[in-house]
Amino acid sequence: MTNSTVKGKSPRSPYLLVRMVGGGTEKHPLEAELGIGRAEDNALRLNDPKVSRHHARVVRDGESYALIDLGSANGTLVNGVRLTALHPLQDGELISIGDAELAYQEPALEEEAGTDNVLVPPSPVPTPPSLASTGRRGLVIAVFLVVAALVVVIAGVAIFNLMKDSPDFPGQDGQISPTPEVEAVSPTERPQSEAAKTPSSTGAPSTRVVSAVTPDVTDPEVEGLLLQAGALTLRSKLEEAAIIYEELARQAPDDAAPEVGWAWALILDDEPDQALVHARRAVGLDSTSADAATVLARAYLEEGDNTSALAWAKVAVQLDAENPEALAVLAEVYMSQARLEDAADAADLALVHDSQNANAHRIRGWLYQVADNDPGRAASELQSAAGLQPELWLRRHELGLLLLEAGEYPAAILAFQDALDMRPKAATYTAIGKAFYLLGQNDQAQSSLQQAISVGAHDVQSYALTAAILASQGQCDEAMTYAEQALALDARASLALDAREVCKGDRPPPTTVASSSAVPNSTPQGTPSASELPAPPPSLSGRIVFPVWNRERGKYDTYLINVDGSGRQLVVEEMHQPSLSPDGKWLALNGERHEQMNLFIVRPDGGGLKEISKHIEDNLPTWSPRDSRLAFSSTMHGDKQSRVYVMDKVPFEGRQQEGRPLNFGPDDVRGDSPAWTPDDRIVYRGCDSTVEPARCGLFIIPSGKGAQPATQLTERLEDAAPAVSPLPADGRVAFMSSRDGNWEIYVINTDGTGLKRLTKDAAHDGLPVWSPDGKSLAFVSNQSGAWAVWVMSSDGSNRSKLFDIGGGGLAFEWQNEQIGWGP
């Protein structure tokens, strides 16, 4: 991306101002649609591994523009909130895609200002502007800063005199006094950043919180660095954030703001003792800062000093009665003291002042769980917190803890895996190990617990669970080692005591899940163990072809397997999106090899590889059920918009064809993911931009040459991966959609009636494909903790797992993959 900021008169159309972390800006005027992603065929290409190949698209909606996420792996954020539907863009809105920040700008605002617009991050989620040198500051600025400092000092003295007479002010009851708390440490004595250390697990208490504070500072360079560090914190890049805070603390030793941010980053990284040092230093530098008092209260709470935590939380609220972070921390302190009504009042007040405050939603959720025993509302609040800060590992981790406590073990595993993808933490490995243990899946549990211990877990739960699993397997030498470590930390650890008794022969190995004070006695009713999963639907036959992520090469390979899980074989490396021909003799694929990125066909044994299309943009091939025709989508056209094409005869001799675009009268079909019907029509996902507003969703159109009438089946662009029943009399389309919050499987009739949701769980279920006899649907899911291929009857019943995908499972842009089922 070039470093080009355009000055002067605005373009005639709105545009995106793009700024990458580390510097560089450029403008992208919006005329029609604008594709955004990592692939070369995007008009706006972002070379970032966090960005999907086709990540998002700006579409024209009359005289306005709207943004849609194209099922990306990491999501698209507008003003810090993840998109779940088509979003009309407003002037000045901030878009986050991977590490790139984009601002939607309308020309009238720039003409009025006369200067380049700067990306100003919205509250409460800070995002980093690129850093610009401020140069030498003039005398006027110096005088202004001196006057501002005097005003702050005078205001601080006035506030202190008003507060010291309050009965709630620390020091009045002899418990705590702000001044003696502060350590006087010179800049040269500051400890090096502790964020890179691997913390030991503390059991991940469910009352953990993180804040990314945006302090009120006047130095543009310092403010830019603080915003960048805050954004890194919210992206779980804590080591990088700590480096910035450490440098700022060295450059500006009298500024409390870097110490505040540093303290929050250390709290998030499980270093509360170090966080306390920086939080106390922040209060010493600015005793009138509500942010400093808030983080000090949180640090004390992490350290278990509830008295000091309450005192400083009250100070923070007295300094700023409308500060949602201060109110959220006060609510958390009240909850730790079992003052649940006070906690609910403080949390509700925090949400009144800022309904988008993630911490307030998070503590309100735990209050629903603790005070009201309402796990449904609790999970909803924690989901809201995760949606507001989608890249923060802790939000997913805490959601997993809540689900674990509620007995929703498979859903908890999914949440923990999301957290591990963002930041591998010992506490999360331990928690996911506990969830597997409670499901009776000891191999997976032991693997997760060993991973936790290898990255620094030294807590009772990790040791005790490991001991219990090893004892049940008869590995008593190892079990006794872990049991003694657990008992050295807590002599009453029941799982460790049980393991010791088993190994001494005083008790037989447990036939049910053992319990501890924090572990339910048995799997809740309705949660099946691995041996109790329902049997697959009867009469399953055929073979399934599927992609497997290769971690070493960072690309997909294609495998073939019998539907009963036998005969697994590698068909071809570095090719994906497989489709089996109706007779099972050929696979069509999308190449990822160097200089082999077009569409190919290959025999199931890996022989006879032939290149059949001309453009590297060609993707998602699918065979006609009647003959050797092939439909596919491609962005080969000059405008780089995806269209649907038909190859009327596959060139089995290896010639390359271009295919013809489908046309619906006014224009060529704009869409992707084509699927054939038995009566020679094609279902696809796309948009009709010839009407205002544009209509998006699933459409169906005859596959013939010339203009054909297209009929809309659904009205949601997030409906994807259609698959049509092979039975001519059936007339049903299965598809995946995130319309209800996560990816699930749905069916609808080809006339647009009979919409029905077939799956409903916290996992991702997608990429449906029909069995050759039309009685069953196979699909991918990570509901068991790892990506696998599952099957169910066509009405959604008899759901069961067929086989694990293995390898690296599914990874980047799994929503744009496909699986096939043939004879």
Side-chain angles (χ1 to χ4, degrees), residues 671-814:
D672 56 31
S673 307
W676 293 84
T677 69
D679 61 357
D680 219 27
R681 293 181 292 170
I682 290 178
V683 178
Y684 64 93
R685 176 182 69 169
C687 290
D688 178 5
S689 299
T690 64
V691 296
E692 296 182 4
R695 297 184 298 135
C696 297
L698 296 182
F699 292 78
I700 187 168
I701 186 173
S703 62
K705 298 179 180 179
Q708 303 288 340
T711 303
Q712 188 170 10
L713 301 182
T714 72
E715 298 179 349
R716 304 290 290 268
L717 185 56
E718 56 265 43
D719 299 342
V724 186
S725 170
L727 301 179
D730 193 345
R732 286 190 297 167
V733 180
F735 63 96
M736 60 184 278
S737 179
S738 60
R739 58 171 60 200
D740 293 323
N742 66 309
W743 292 104
E744 303 285 3
I745 308 295
Y746 299 76
V747 292
I748 193 171
N749 296 326
T750 51
D751 61 3
T753 64
L755 178 65
K756 180 182 178 181
R757 178 173 172 173
L758 298 185
T759 63
K760 186 177 182 181
D761 53 59
H764 288 318
D765 304 323
L767 309 184
V769 61
W770 293 85
S771 61
D773 63 6
K775 296 180 180 180
S776 304
L777 280 164
F779 58 98
V780 301
S781 177
N782 59 1
Q783 63 180 286
S784 62
W787 282 106
V789 174
W790 289 64
V791 69
M792 60 184 170
S793 298
S794 60
D795 62 357
S797 63
N798 298 318
R799 178 171 172 163
S800 64
K801 184 169 74 173
L802 289 177
F803 56 86
D804 288 323
I805 287 177
L810 300 178
F812 296 109
E813 294 188 290
W814 71 269

Side-chain angles (χ1 to χ4, degrees), residues 479-521:
M480 288 300 293
T481 299
Y482 286 107
E484 294 305 325
Q485 288 176 301
L487 293 170
L489 296 171
D490 182 359
R492 299 173 298 175
S494 60
L495 280 175
L497 291 170
D498 291 344
R500 188 166 65 179
E501 290 182 12
V502 168
C503 287
K504 287 182 178 180
D506 297 334
R507 179 183 300 183
T511 57
T512 59
V513 177
S515 65
S516 70
S517 59
V519 180
N521 289 328

Side-chain angles (χ1 to χ4, degrees), residues 139-153:
L139 179 60
V140 174
I141 296 177
V143 171
F144 172 79
L145 292 176
V146 171
V147 172
L150 288 173
V151 170
V152 170
V153 170

Side-chain angles (χ1 to χ4, degrees), residues 27-93:
K27 291 181 179 179
H28 286 263
L30 299 174
E31 298 293 345
E33 292 192 355
L34 179 75
I36 305 172
R38 186 163 41 87
E40 294 181 357
D41 55 13
N42 290 287
L44 173 51
R45 187 184 180 200
L46 301 176
N47 190 16
D48 180 348
K50 301 182 190 65
V51 176
S52 297
R53 288 173 58 83
H54 299 96
H55 196 107
R57 179 177 293 140
V58 178
V59 297
R60 190 163 188 169
D61 187 4
E63 297 300 319
S64 303
Y65 289 85
L67 179 69
I68 184 71
D69 182 86
L70 300 178
S72 65
N74 294 312
T76 302
L77 279 65
V78 175
N79 297 338
V81 179
R82 187 164 183 162
L83 289 187
T84 59
L86 192 71
H87 174 80
L89 289 169
Q90 302 295 322
D91 183 66
E93 285 192 313

